[in-house]
């Protein structure tokens, strides 16, 4: 079930204003953007629902008298306001979740006990209370970091949290016994090892076995959260890939949501566009672009890619159609051509503009865009995009296409086709009737509200979005006439390479 967390930030660090509602299903999400846009501040604000210490640590140089953070979820509110006496943010809390926050520097839950543990390892009585870490944690740590089991046989922890609290510790401490017999805390291990031990401890003690927790607190909802800031600073790309596999498996078992802030192209490339929050900061006014295609999110990471021609399109449907249109031409002319889905038409043209101005793909590379036909007039009016090479699909977006056929035109042939193909457990006619009586869905002529509803209904039919997109691109290719566009693409490329 989707869980909405509304975050509002006023005058903190370089953020003058931020107002956005994060909609989280269980799954993995990424908060991305260029350096210094305020990702860590937004991450701290969102993560304050599980760990508010980062907001409490903000100092006078980062705050103003007007500084505030407001979090709303399920009718409850957390409000952080500036206190003149302490020059800090003070909270009024009504929202709380089980979760963990791991900061990019020495912040976050895993560092709370750092100062205490070095002295405790010298205490023989304390060491006698250590027991081996669980095999599942040791195995997971070994697999994620090294790709095989067996690297952490001498990993230990305290007997239980009651013992940890008697020593003034807020989290379960872990220790590694070295070959020389000395014992070091996780804080003396690498940053990646330290972060993963805390993360795996949370997952194995809470996310998988919350019923075994002895010290429970009231929570707003049973959703479990993991927030990790700049994971690439602690982990190698191959370890990030294995961590994503591990978390995906956990999510299949439990109601768990993971939010990374990251510049990692490995992580971003694996994200669904709907799970990417791309953050922009324009003179302190911050906003989120979502859905956001991975190619748009990591555009600053592009180097010379070896392609003779790159075609930018809005979405996966357009990508599949264009790939079919260029297949024969590409083969006959021995051209290396790539098609990249970017997102909304303005994002697509903005990325093309960046590619051209910064020669990101190389000076001898040819780039153009193919965007949905229903925005042709709108795109032609934007001065900064007028000189860009661009073509238009003879169809509108998938969302608008479905809205037009199902609700605007009441195309009975199409409705019958769509219902028979995808809906066996639910009456599609009943779904259509419900949509027509829903003012919000009928009023959203972009088709996004209808599309979101259909995707949710299709999950009950065990049809995922990727399957719908693949099927529908084939349907559109057969039903619509793309011959003119195909000729235009070939002429575009011929003209470019003949110069």
């Amino acid at each position: 079930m989707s869980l909405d967390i509304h975050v509002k930030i006023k005058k903190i660090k370089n953020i003058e204003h931020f107002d956005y509602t994060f909609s989280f299903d269980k799954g993995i999400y990424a908060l991305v953007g260029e350096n210094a846009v305020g990702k860590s501040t937004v991450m701290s604000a969102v993560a304050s629902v599980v760990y508010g210490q980062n907001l409490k640590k903000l100092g006078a140089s980062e705050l103003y008298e007007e500084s505030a953070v407001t979090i709303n979820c399920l009718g409850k509110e957390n409000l952080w306001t500036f206190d003149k006496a302490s020059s800090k943010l003070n909270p009024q809390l009504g929202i709380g979740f089980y979760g963990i926050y791991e900061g990019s520097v020495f912040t976050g839950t895993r560092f709370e006990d750092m100062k205490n543990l070095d002295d405790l390892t010298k205490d023989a009585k304390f060491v006698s209370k250590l027991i081996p870490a669980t095999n599942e944690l040791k195995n997971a740590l070994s697999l994620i970091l090294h790709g095989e089991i067996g690297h952490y046989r001498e990993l230990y922890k305290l007997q239980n949290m009651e013992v940890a609290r008697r020593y003034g510790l807020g989290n379960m401490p872990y220790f590694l016994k070295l070959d020389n017999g000395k014992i070091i805390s996780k804080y003396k291990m690498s940053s990646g090892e330290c972060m993963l031990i805390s993360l795996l401890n949370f997952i194995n003690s809470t996310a998988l076995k919350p019923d075994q927790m002895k010290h429970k607190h009231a929570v707003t909802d049973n959703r479990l959260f993991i927030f990790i800031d700049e994971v690439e600073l602690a982990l190698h790309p191959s370890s990030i890939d294995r961590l994503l596999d591990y978390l995906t498996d956990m999510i299949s078992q439990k109601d768990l949501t993971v939010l990374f802030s990251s510049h990692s192209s490995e992580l971003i490339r694996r994200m669904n566009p709907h799970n990417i929050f791309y953050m922009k900061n324009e003179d302190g006014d911050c906003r989120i672009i979502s859905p956001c295609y991975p190619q748009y999110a990591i555009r600053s990471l592009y180097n010379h890619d070896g392609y003779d021609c790159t075609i930018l399109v809005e979405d996966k449907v357009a990508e599949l159609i264009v790939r079919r249109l260029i297949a024969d031409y590409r083969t006959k002319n021995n051209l290396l051509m790539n098609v990249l889905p970017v997102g909304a038409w303005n994002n697509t043209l903005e990325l093309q503009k960046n590619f051209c101005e910064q020669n990101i793909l190389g000076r001898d590379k040819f780039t153009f865009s193919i965007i949905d036909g229903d925005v042709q007039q709108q795109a032609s009016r934007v001065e900064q995009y007028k000189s860009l090479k661009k073509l238009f699909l003879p169809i509108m977006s998938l969302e608008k296409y479905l809205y037009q056929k199902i609700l605007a035109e009441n195309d009975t042939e199409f409705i019958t086709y769509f219902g028979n193909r995808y809906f066996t457990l639910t009456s599609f006619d009943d779904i259509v009737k419900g949509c027509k009586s829903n003012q919000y869905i009928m009023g959203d002529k972009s088709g996004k509200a209808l599309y979101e509803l259909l995707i949710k209904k299709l999950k009950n039919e065990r049809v995922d979005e990727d399957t719908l997109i693949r099927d529908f691109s084939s349907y559109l290719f057969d039903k619509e006439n793309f011959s003119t566009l195909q000729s235009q693409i070939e002429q575009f490329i011929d003209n470019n390479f003949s110069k």
Side-chain angles (χ1 to χ4, degrees):
M1 183 185 74
S2 181
L3 185 69
D4 291 343
I5 299 180
H6 177 223
V7 179
K8 191 173 183 178
I9 301 173
K10 182 180 180 182
K11 293 186 75 69
I12 296 180
K13 293 185 178 180
N14 65 334
I15 296 179
E16 288 287 324
H17 177 263
F18 177 86
D19 192 336
Y20 186 75
T21 299
F22 293 91
S23 186
F24 293 119
D25 283 306
K26 69 175 189 174
I28 300 175
Y29 295 80
L31 176 65
V32 303
E34 297 178 4
N35 289 324
V37 297
K39 294 191 302 296
S40 291
T41 302
V42 171
M43 176 64 91
S44 293
V46 181
S48 68
V49 298
V50 303
Y51 179 76
Q53 295 304 311
N54 258 15
L55 293 181
K56 289 182 179 180
K57 292 175 183 176
L58 292 171
S61 63
E62 301 162 302
L63 300 173
Y64 304 84
E65 290 188 9
E66 304 92 337
S67 294
V69 175
T70 308
I71 314 287
N72 294 101
C73 182
L74 295 175
K76 297 184 178 181
E77 181 178 88
N78 286 354
L79 177 62
W80 298 74
T81 53
F82 183 78
D83 176 67
K84 291 183 180 180
S86 63
S87 295
K88 300 283 187 182
L89 291 180
N90 284 343
Q92 299 176 28
L93 303 179
I95 302 169
F97 292 88
Y98 286 127
I100 187 172
Y101 167 71
E102 297 300 341
S104 59
V105 292
F106 276 31
T107 57
T109 53
R110 74 182 186 274
F111 296 112
E112 286 181 338
D113 303 322
M114 184 174 181
K115 294 178 181 178
N116 301 327
L117 286 178
D118 286 339
D119 292 335
L120 290 174
T121 56
K122 301 170 186 175
D123 183 346
K125 186 177 179 181
F126 177 82
V127 172
S128 69
K129 293 180 171 58
L130 300 182
I131 61 173
T134 64
N135 286 331
E136 56 188 344
L137 187 147
K138 290 189 287 189
N139 290 343
L141 185 64
S142 295
L143 281 171
I144 293 170
L145 290 178
H146 301 284
E148 58 184 4
I149 293 173
H151 286 264
Y152 296 94
R153 293 187 180 91
E154 297 296 317
L155 189 67
Y156 297 85
K157 66 171 188 172
L158 270 184
Q159 292 169 342
N160 53 56
M161 278 304 301
E162 290 180 0
V163 175
R165 286 188 173 86
R166 286 203 293 270
Y167 282 94
L169 303 174
N171 297 289
M172 173 57 69
Y174 280 78
F175 304 85
L176 185 66
K177 188 175 183 180
L178 304 178
D179 292 339
N180 60 12
K182 290 186 177 181
I183 293 176
I184 62 171
S185 77
K186 63 181 180 179
Y187 304 113
K188 295 294 186 181
M189 300 168 71
S190 74
S191 180
E193 289 171 318
C194 180
M195 183 197 75
L196 280 176
I197 288 171
S198 294
L199 177 62
L200 294 171
N201 174 69
F202 167 73
I203 289 174
N204 284 282
S205 64
T206 304
L208 293 184
K209 304 165 187 160
D211 55 318
Q212 296 181 16
M213 292 181 65
K214 293 183 179 179
H215 299 276
K216 296 185 178 182
H217 59 272
V219 292
T220 306
D221 185 84
N222 289 325
R223 176 74 58 85
L224 300 153
F225 281 98
I226 293 173
F227 300 100
I228 302 178
D229 196 9
E230 295 188 332
V231 65
E232 67 272 11
L233 298 184
L235 295 179
H236 185 274
S238 62
S239 296
I240 291 175
D241 204 47
R242 290 190 289 266
L243 173 60
L244 291 174
D245 289 337
Y246 179 82
L247 291 172
T248 299
D249 182 60
M250 294 301 101
I251 289 164
S252 70
Q253 303 174 47
K254 294 294 177 181
D255 193 8
L256 175 64
T257 294
V258 182
L259 176 64
F260 292 97
S261 76
S262 180
H263 296 107
S264 168
S265 59
E266 289 78 14
L267 185 152
I268 296 169
R269 288 181 196 279
R270 288 188 55 171
M271 294 288 102
N272 183 299
H274 294 275
N275 289 24
I276 296 177
F277 304 110
Y278 183 79
M279 186 171 169
K280 301 190 76 171
N281 186 327
E282 298 175 356
D283 298 324
D285 187 16
C286 295
R287 61 188 178 92
I288 294 287
I289 296 173
S290 185
C292 174
Y293 277 83
Q295 286 80 9
Y296 184 81
I298 60 176
R299 65 195 190 282
S300 60
L301 303 178
Y302 273 101
N303 292 313
H304 172 68
D305 62 6
Y307 290 104
D308 299 305
C309 176
T310 297
I311 304 173
L312 305 178
V313 297
E314 291 189 50
D315 53 34
K316 192 70 178 177
V317 172
E319 178 196 0
L320 295 173
I321 289 173
V322 171
R323 286 190 182 280
R324 290 182 66 170
L325 290 174
I326 66 173
D328 290 340
Y329 178 84
R330 177 182 58 79
T331 304
K332 290 176 183 176
N333 292 277
N334 297 309
L335 282 172
L336 291 175
M337 301 174 67
N338 196 19
V339 184
L340 297 178
V342 177
W345 69 267
N346 51 330
N347 290 347
T348 304
L349 294 179
E350 179 190 349
L351 182 57
Q352 182 186 351
K353 183 171 178 284
N354 290 343
F355 279 0
C356 294
E357 291 177 347
Q358 301 172 28
N359 296 307
I360 291 174
L361 299 180
R363 292 183 180 276
D364 57 341
K365 303 303 172 186
F366 179 47
T367 305
F368 65 95
S369 296
I370 301 177
I371 54 183
D372 296 340
D374 56 306
V375 298
Q376 184 168 355
Q377 291 186 352
Q378 191 176 358
S380 64
R381 289 196 294 266
V382 181
E383 187 66 34
Q384 61 181 325
Y385 301 145
K386 283 184 177 180
S387 62
L388 297 177
K389 292 183 171 69
K390 52 188 175 294
L391 297 172
F392 297 90
L393 288 164
I395 58 170
M396 58 190 74
S397 68
L398 172 57
E399 294 94 334
K400 288 181 180 177
Y401 190 93
L402 291 172
Y403 180 92
Q404 192 70 21
K405 290 288 186 180
I406 296 172
L407 299 182
E409 297 178 1
N410 194 32
D411 187 326
T412 54
E413 181 181 347
F414 178 82
I415 291 172
T416 300
Y417 157 79
F418 195 84
N420 289 345
R421 183 167 183 83
Y422 299 111
F423 291 91
T424 57
L425 302 176
T426 309
S427 167
F428 187 58
D429 286 338
D430 289 344
I431 293 174
V432 173
K433 289 177 184 177
C435 290
K436 289 181 177 179
S437 62
N438 187 313
Q439 291 184 352
Y440 172 68
I441 292 176
M442 290 298 296
D444 181 10
K445 291 183 169 50
S446 71
K448 295 185 184 300
L450 172 64
Y451 185 76
E452 289 176 4
L453 174 69
L454 292 177
I455 292 300
K456 288 181 180 178
K457 296 292 185 182
L458 286 170
K459 285 183 180 179
N460 298 330
E461 303 285 340
R462 301 188 182 279
V463 178
D464 60 28
E465 187 175 8
D466 286 342
T467 299
L468 174 65
I469 287 171
R470 285 195 302 270
D471 280 3
F472 222 73
S473 64
S474 295
Y475 171 87
L476 290 172
F477 197 86
D478 293 336
K479 289 289 185 180
E480 304 293 335
N481 185 355
F482 293 95
S483 59
T484 300
L485 176 62
Q486 186 172 26
S487 299
Q488 290 174 332
I489 293 172
E490 294 173 4
Q491 186 176 357
F492 244 39
I493 297 171
D494 284 341
N495 290 343
N496 182 77
F497 285 106
S498 65
K499 293 179 180 179

